[in-house]
């Protein structure tokens, strides 16, 4: 079903057309003066200009046409020719109730088109840190919104498992344990069990990285190890495999805590075998050329206002680069999925890298012309001091630690709000977990991805204000109310609405008609903040309805049933909307 706003636009467009005016001018939007009207159409002014007429006169002709429509309640002309529109309560109800249907009343705009989201990017052998948080949160929400909008959206983690960091760790291990079988070229069978644990890696990688920074020769050794790994040296490959397995276990645990899930667990290494033939092809097409001993693709254009450097395919030493694997990954994605769209959710500082990759993919036709490649670059997560978020000691915080401190903070806030008393320890921890994830995610998602935002743990875990915990609290409150209500009691239907609705009921009902367009708004703007705002306002509308209207104690049957129905719709949208944002609602709180 189309949304109320779309249908109003259609009706008003028809009215314009009947009067010989451009139907596009009949666009209707939600009023920016809700105190005056529910909806408005501002097209009369432009139409008057085109027709050389008085705008109020045009508005009045449109109003006469609109009056014929059965769902219009009240029309008014304001100022120079704004048309204010109010809709009948039973019409509002008819659209709002769609959110209780299977697809929640969300228009299918995707029609099954395939979209791939690349929003992981954690690196093997390195601990996940806060830098990976925004990608996970935003990417997961976008992917879910696309799926609700009828797309076939899948997420690919795209592990960083083929870069110099692998060579750094391997060469470090070789220096420390030259006697290990992995470094003896006469050996071809290697132990099943990993000789290193995750804890070991947490010490080894920073040590290796620091050593390489200080000493050019040590770095050269790491580069050499990277090339040999990529070329398939058996001992290195075996050691690499251990590192991938050990790291993936931790990576999976982190994402599971965040309620973030990937359909594809591919990495940079997965496409290694595609690289040689791909590069051969690029050479034959004269798109790949040698420059200073490296093999590159020139991607700059005359129209560029700043310099776009070439994409390096092979370094002088023969190692493949970050861009090479990204290009080969696009080749693979085309081969298996022929996606309509590939969307990357990565730190905005990688903008140039993706510009290079996208240009190379299009120039070589690795990605067909019609396929949309989108880069969503997210901004920085700052601390309360306004500078990039750091630990107290000034280091980069591990993701695991961030999840831990958020959990503790959530527990503290629950105690302050007297939420913990009724539950045993396991239940309390489960609720605190959901509260903390809601807090962290909602604080991010209410902003446009491009903008920076402040990670203020104290504020975001509060049960008041524009926070995740506030939304959870509202959802749970409705839950317990509906649990108390007898299911037989919630039978309101359209032709049995109360004769008179109070303003809080109308406001809530009107808001409830806008769920579809706000979910689709996430897709159209590639930004979950649209739905986040909608849900926050829904909670506010519900709250004022709840404090002004009796529900269970209401004596009039029709009114009580209708109010329970409002609760039911609010709950359905709140739970589904939060689910799209990747936020789980606890049963009780
Ligand atoms: N591993 C990269 C990093 O840590 C992020 C990967 C982003 N995705 C991609 N397809 N390049 O910076």
């Amino acid at each position: 079903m189309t949304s109320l706003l779309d249908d109003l636009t259609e009706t008003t467009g028809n009215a314009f057309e009947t009067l010989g005016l451009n139907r596009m001018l009949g666009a209707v939007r939600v009023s920016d003066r809700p105190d005056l009207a529910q909806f408005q159409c501002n097209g009369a002014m432009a139409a008057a200009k085109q027709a050389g007429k008085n705008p109020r006169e045009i508005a009045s002709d449109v109003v006469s046409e609109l009056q014929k429509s059965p769902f219009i309640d009240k029309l008014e002309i304001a100022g120079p020719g704004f048309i204010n529109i109010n809709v009948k309560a039973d019409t509002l109800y008819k659209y709002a109730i769609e959110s209780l249907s299977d697809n929640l009343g969300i228009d299918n705009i995707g029609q099954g088109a395939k979209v791939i989201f690349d929003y992981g990017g954690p690196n093997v052998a390195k601990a996940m840190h806060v830098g990976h948080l925004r990608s996970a949160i935003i990417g997961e929400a976008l992917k879910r919104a696309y799926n609700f909008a009828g797309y076939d959206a899948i997420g690919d983690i795209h592990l960083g498992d083929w870069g110099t960091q692998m060579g750094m760790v391997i060469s470090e291990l070789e220096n420390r344990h030259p006697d290990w079988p992995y470094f003896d070229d006469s050996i071809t069978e290697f132990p099943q069990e990993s000789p290193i644990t995750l804890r070991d890696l947490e010490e080894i990688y920073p040590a290796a990285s620091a050593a390489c920074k200080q000493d050019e020769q040590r770095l050269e050794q790491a580069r050499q190890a990277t090339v040999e790994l990529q070329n398939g040296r058996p001992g290195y490959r075996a050691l690499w495999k251990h590192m991938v397995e050990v790291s993936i276990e931790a990576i999976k645990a982190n994402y599971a805590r965040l309620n973030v899930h990937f359909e594809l667990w591919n990495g940079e290494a997965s496409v290694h075998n595609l690289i040689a033939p791909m590069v051969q092809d690029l050479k034959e097409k004269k798109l790949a050329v040698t420059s200073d001993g490296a093999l590159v693709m020139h991607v700059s254009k005359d129209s560029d206002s700043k310099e776009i450097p070439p994409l390096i395919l092979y370094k002088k030493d023969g190692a493949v680069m970050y861009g090479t694997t990204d290009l080969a990954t696009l080749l693979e994605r085309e081969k298996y999925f022929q996606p309509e769209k590939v969307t990357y959710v990565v730190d905005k500082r990688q903008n140039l890298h993706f510009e290079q990759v996208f240009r190379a993919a299009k120039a070589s036709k690795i990605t067909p012309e019609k396929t949309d490649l989108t880069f969503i670059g997210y901004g920085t997560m700052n601390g309360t001091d306004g500078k990039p978020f750091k630990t107290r000691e000034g280091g980069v915080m591990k993701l695991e630690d961030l999840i831990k401190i958020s959990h503790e903070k959530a527990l503290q806030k629950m105690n302050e709000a007297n939420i913990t008393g009724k539950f045993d320890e396991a239940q309390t921890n489960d609720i605190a977990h959901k509260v903390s994830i809601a807090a962290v995610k909602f604080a991010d998602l209410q902003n446009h991805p491009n903008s920076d935002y402040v990670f203020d743990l104290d504020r975001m875990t509060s049960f008041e204000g524009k926070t995740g915990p506030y939304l959870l609290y509202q959802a749970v409150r409705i839950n317990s109310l509906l649990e108390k209500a007898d299911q037989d009691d919630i039978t309101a239907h359209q032709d049995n609405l109360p004769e008179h609705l109070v303003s809080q009921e109308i406001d809530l009902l009107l808001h409830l008609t806008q769920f579809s367009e706000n979910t689709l708004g996430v897709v159209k703007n590639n930004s979950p903040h649209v739905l986040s705002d909608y849900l926050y306002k829904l909670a506010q509308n519900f709250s004022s309805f709840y404090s002004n209207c009796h529900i269970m104690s209401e004596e009039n049957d029709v009114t009580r049933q209708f109010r329970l129905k409002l609760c039911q719709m609010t709950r359905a949208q709140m739970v589904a909307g939060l689910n799209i944002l990747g936020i789980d609602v606890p049963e009780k709180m």
Side-chain angles (χ1 to χ4, degrees), residues 253-266:
N254 269 316
Y255 281 119
R257 294 288 287 164
L258 288 175
N259 195 13
V260 167
H261 310 276
F262 296 96
E263 285 67 31
L264 298 174
W265 278 77
N266 294 335

Side-chain angles (χ1 to χ4, degrees), residues 312-329:
I312 304 176
L313 296 169
Y314 280 125
K315 275 199 295 187
K316 228 189 242 161
D317 60 15
V320 305
M321 303 282 285
Y322 184 40
T324 327
T325 48
D326 263 325
L327 196 57
T329 303

Side-chain angles (χ1 to χ4, degrees), residues 325-479:
T325 48
D326 263 325
L327 196 57
T329 303
L330 278 172
L331 186 68
E332 188 185 47
R333 286 174 181 164
E334 182 56 29
K335 186 167 141 202
Y336 288 109
F337 300 110
Q338 298 94 44
E340 176 167 292
K341 196 173 160 112
V342 185
T343 300
Y344 297 80
V345 186
V346 183
D347 190 315
K348 69 178 171 195
R349 285 169 298 185
Q350 294 198 24
N351 192 355
L352 178 62
H353 165 78
F354 284 100
E355 185 62 41
Q356 293 171 300
V357 171
F358 291 178
R359 286 184 183 196
K362 289 287 166 127
S364 59
K365 305 217 161 45
I366 283 174
T367 300
E369 196 47 52
K370 62 176 199 303
T371 308
D372 185 38
L373 297 176
T374 301
F375 172 65
I376 300 176
Y378 54 81
T380 311
M381 180 174 124
N382 289 321
T384 41
D385 60 357
K387 301 199 188 105
F389 185 81
K390 290 266 153 60
T391 59
R392 228 172 261 155
E393 295 73 39
V396 177
M397 188 178 279
K398 287 202 301 184
L399 193 55
E400 202 185 318
D401 293 338
L402 181 122
I403 295 173
K404 212 176 283 159
I405 60 167
S406 308
H407 187 93
E408 274 153 23
K409 195 65 165 185
L411 267 179
Q412 180 200 326
K413 295 279 176 167
M414 282 163 57
N415 278 327
E416 286 168 15
N418 279 328
I419 288 180
T420 39
K422 315 167 255 186
F423 304 106
D424 67 22
E425 202 186 324
Q427 285 169 321
T428 305
N429 268 321
D430 180 59
I431 298 170
H433 172 62
K434 290 185 171 125
V435 169
S436 68
I437 297 300
V440 170
K441 287 191 168 185
F442 197 74
D444 185 329
L445 294 172
Q446 62 186 269
N447 306 288
H448 192 284
N450 295 157
S451 40
D452 300 347
Y453 79 102
V454 173
F455 189 87
D456 182 345
L457 196 50
D458 197 57
R459 208 183 64 197
M460 66 175 79
T461 49
S462 167
F463 282 92
E464 278 154 35
K466 196 173 179 180
T467 68
Y470 170 67
L471 295 187
L472 293 191
Y473 181 73
Q474 292 293 354
V476 171
R477 180 153 83 165
I478 306 172
N479 241 348

Side-chain angles (χ1 to χ4, degrees), residues 118-123 126 129 132 135 157-161 268 322 326 329 333 344-347 350 353-354:
D118 184 316
Y119 64 99
N123 298 311
K126 295 191 203 173
H129 54 79
H132 298 111
S135 184
I157 188 164
H158 198 76
L159 286 175
D161 56 3
E268 296 168 343
Y322 184 40
D326 263 325
T329 303
R333 286 174 181 164
Y344 297 80
V345 186
V346 183
D347 190 315
Q350 294 198 24
H353 165 78
F354 284 100

